[in-house]
PDB file of all heavy atoms in Angstrom:
ATOM      1  N   SER A 140     -12.657  15.710 -11.841  1.00 77.00           N
ATOM      2  CA  SER A 140     -11.656  16.749 -11.582  1.00 77.00           C
ATOM      3  C   SER A 140     -10.255  16.160 -11.586  1.00 77.00           C
ATOM      4  O   SER A 140     -10.068  15.017 -11.147  1.00 77.00           O
ATOM      5  CB  SER A 140     -11.942  17.399 -10.217  1.00 77.00           C
ATOM      6  OG  SER A 140     -10.913  18.291  -9.855  1.00 77.00           O
ATOM      7  N   PRO A 141      -9.270  16.905 -12.084  1.00 77.00           N
ATOM      8  CA  PRO A 141      -7.879  16.454 -11.960  1.00 77.00           C
ATOM      9  C   PRO A 141      -7.516  16.291 -10.477  1.00 77.00           C
ATOM     10  O   PRO A 141      -8.097  16.941  -9.609  1.00 77.00           O
ATOM     11  CB  PRO A 141      -7.081  17.599 -12.602  1.00 77.00           C
ATOM     12  CG  PRO A 141      -8.053  18.322 -13.469  1.00 77.00           C
ATOM     13  CD  PRO A 141      -9.388  18.199 -12.786  1.00 77.00           C
ATOM     14  N   ILE A 142      -6.589  15.404 -10.206  1.00 82.00           N
ATOM     15  CA  ILE A 142      -6.053  15.155  -8.870  1.00 82.00           C
ATOM     16  C   ILE A 142      -6.989  14.291  -8.010  1.00 82.00           C
ATOM     17  O   ILE A 142      -6.522  13.458  -7.235  1.00 82.00           O
ATOM     18  CB  ILE A 142      -5.715  16.468  -8.106  1.00 82.00           C
ATOM     19  CG1 ILE A 142      -4.665  17.276  -8.884  1.00 82.00           C
ATOM     20  CG2 ILE A 142      -5.208  16.189  -6.697  1.00 82.00           C
ATOM     21  CD1 ILE A 142      -4.320  18.615  -8.242  1.00 82.00           C
ATOM     22  N   LEU A 143      -8.310  14.450  -8.176  1.00 86.00           N
ATOM     23  CA  LEU A 143      -9.247  13.692  -7.348  1.00 86.00           C
ATOM     24  C   LEU A 143      -9.113  12.175  -7.497  1.00 86.00           C
ATOM     25  O   LEU A 143      -9.235  11.455  -6.490  1.00 86.00           O
ATOM     26  CB  LEU A 143     -10.683  14.130  -7.656  1.00 86.00           C
ATOM     27  CG  LEU A 143     -11.778  13.581  -6.731  1.00 86.00           C
ATOM     28  CD1 LEU A 143     -11.474  13.902  -5.280  1.00 86.00           C
ATOM     29  CD2 LEU A 143     -13.140  14.148  -7.141  1.00 86.00           C
ATOM     30  N   PRO A 144      -8.839  11.633  -8.704  1.00 88.00           N
ATOM     31  CA  PRO A 144      -8.651  10.178  -8.792  1.00 88.00           C
ATOM     32  C   PRO A 144      -7.498   9.684  -7.929  1.00 88.00           C
ATOM     33  O   PRO A 144      -7.616   8.649  -7.249  1.00 88.00           O
ATOM     34  CB  PRO A 144      -8.362   9.951 -10.284  1.00 88.00           C
ATOM     35  CG  PRO A 144      -9.038  11.089 -10.967  1.00 88.00           C
ATOM     36  CD  PRO A 144      -8.860  12.262 -10.050  1.00 88.00           C
ATOM     37  N   GLU A 145      -6.376  10.402  -7.940  1.00 89.00           N
ATOM     38  CA  GLU A 145      -5.229   9.984  -7.132  1.00 89.00           C
ATOM     39  C   GLU A 145      -5.558  10.069  -5.641  1.00 89.00           C
ATOM     40  O   GLU A 145      -5.181   9.191  -4.856  1.00 89.00           O
ATOM     41  CB  GLU A 145      -4.014  10.866  -7.448  1.00 89.00           C
ATOM     42  CG  GLU A 145      -3.447  10.696  -8.847  1.00 89.00           C
ATOM     43  CD  GLU A 145      -4.308  11.360  -9.903  1.00 89.00           C
ATOM     44  OE1 GLU A 145      -4.888  12.428  -9.630  1.00 89.00           O
ATOM     45  OE2 GLU A 145      -4.415  10.804 -11.014  1.00 89.00           O
ATOM     46  N   ILE A 146      -6.272  11.129  -5.253  1.00 87.00           N
ATOM     47  CA  ILE A 146      -6.669  11.280  -3.848  1.00 87.00           C
ATOM     48  C   ILE A 146      -7.579  10.129  -3.437  1.00 87.00           C
ATOM     49  O   ILE A 146      -7.413   9.538  -2.360  1.00 87.00           O
ATOM     50  CB  ILE A 146      -7.391  12.622  -3.635  1.00 87.00           C
ATOM     51  CG1 ILE A 146      -6.415  13.789  -3.818  1.00 87.00           C
ATOM     52  CG2 ILE A 146      -8.029  12.687  -2.242  1.00 87.00           C
ATOM     53  CD1 ILE A 146      -7.065  15.157  -3.722  1.00 87.00           C
ATOM     54  N   SER A 147      -8.544   9.781  -4.284  1.00 90.00           N
ATOM     55  CA  SER A 147      -9.487   8.722  -3.935  1.00 90.00           C
ATOM     56  C   SER A 147      -8.791   7.371  -3.816  1.00 90.00           C
ATOM     57  O   SER A 147      -9.123   6.569  -2.937  1.00 90.00           O
ATOM     58  CB  SER A 147     -10.612   8.653  -4.971  1.00 90.00           C
ATOM     59  OG  SER A 147     -10.135   8.237  -6.238  1.00 90.00           O
ATOM     60  N   ALA A 148      -7.808   7.107  -4.684  1.00 92.00           N
ATOM     61  CA  ALA A 148      -7.067   5.851  -4.602  1.00 92.00           C
ATOM     62  C   ALA A 148      -6.266   5.780  -3.306  1.00 92.00           C
ATOM     63  O   ALA A 148      -6.238   4.737  -2.627  1.00 92.00           O
ATOM     64  CB  ALA A 148      -6.143   5.700  -5.811  1.00 92.00           C
ATOM     65  N   CYS A 149      -5.625   6.877  -2.954  1.00 90.00           N
ATOM     66  CA  CYS A 149      -4.840   6.918  -1.718  1.00 90.00           C
ATOM     67  C   CYS A 149      -5.737   6.805  -0.486  1.00 90.00           C
ATOM     68  O   CYS A 149      -5.403   6.102   0.479  1.00 90.00           O
ATOM     69  CB  CYS A 149      -4.015   8.205  -1.649  1.00 90.00           C
ATOM     70  SG  CYS A 149      -2.680   8.298  -2.867  1.00 90.00           S
ATOM     71  N   MET A 150      -6.882   7.469  -0.511  1.00 89.00           N
ATOM     72  CA  MET A 150      -7.815   7.394   0.612  1.00 89.00           C
ATOM     73  C   MET A 150      -8.373   5.986   0.767  1.00 89.00           C
ATOM     74  O   MET A 150      -8.575   5.504   1.889  1.00 89.00           O
ATOM     75  CB  MET A 150      -8.963   8.388   0.413  1.00 89.00           C
ATOM     76  CG  MET A 150      -8.583   9.843   0.599  1.00 89.00           C
ATOM     77  SD  MET A 150      -7.905  10.218   2.234  1.00 89.00           S
ATOM     78  CE  MET A 150      -9.231   9.651   3.296  1.00 89.00           C
ATOM     79  N   ALA A 151      -8.615   5.301  -0.346  1.00 91.00           N
ATOM     80  CA  ALA A 151      -9.101   3.927  -0.279  1.00 91.00           C
ATOM     81  C   ALA A 151      -8.075   3.029   0.413  1.00 91.00           C
ATOM     82  O   ALA A 151      -8.433   2.169   1.225  1.00 91.00           O
ATOM     83  CB  ALA A 151      -9.402   3.409  -1.686  1.00 91.00           C
ATOM     84  N   GLY A 152      -6.791   3.237   0.097  1.00 92.00           N
ATOM     85  CA  GLY A 152      -5.751   2.457   0.750  1.00 92.00           C
ATOM     86  C   GLY A 152      -5.610   2.804   2.216  1.00 92.00           C
ATOM     87  O   GLY A 152      -5.487   1.918   3.078  1.00 92.00           O
ATOM     88  N   MET A 153      -5.618   4.094   2.544  1.00 87.00           N
ATOM     89  CA  MET A 153      -5.483   4.540   3.935  1.00 87.00           C
ATOM     90  C   MET A 153      -6.579   3.987   4.835  1.00 87.00           C
ATOM     91  O   MET A 153      -6.336   3.617   5.988  1.00 87.00           O
ATOM     92  CB  MET A 153      -5.535   6.073   4.004  1.00 87.00           C
ATOM     93  CG  MET A 153      -4.248   6.776   3.635  1.00 87.00           C
ATOM     94  SD  MET A 153      -4.436   8.548   3.973  1.00 87.00           S
ATOM     95  CE  MET A 153      -2.953   9.169   3.215  1.00 87.00           C
ATOM     96  N   THR A 154      -7.803   3.982   4.312  1.00 87.00           N
ATOM     97  CA  THR A 154      -8.947   3.556   5.121  1.00 87.00           C
ATOM     98  C   THR A 154      -9.185   2.047   5.033  1.00 87.00           C
ATOM     99  O   THR A 154     -10.189   1.548   5.544  1.00 87.00           O
ATOM    100  CB  THR A 154     -10.216   4.292   4.677  1.00 87.00           C
ATOM    101  OG1 THR A 154     -10.438   4.066   3.282  1.00 87.00           O
ATOM    102  CG2 THR A 154     -10.081   5.790   4.925  1.00 87.00           C
TER     103      THR A 154
END
Side-chain angles (χ1 to χ4, degrees):
S140 173
I142 300 177
L143 189 55
E145 293 75 36
I146 292 176
S147 67
C149 292
M150 288 301 303
M153 281 187 189
T154 57

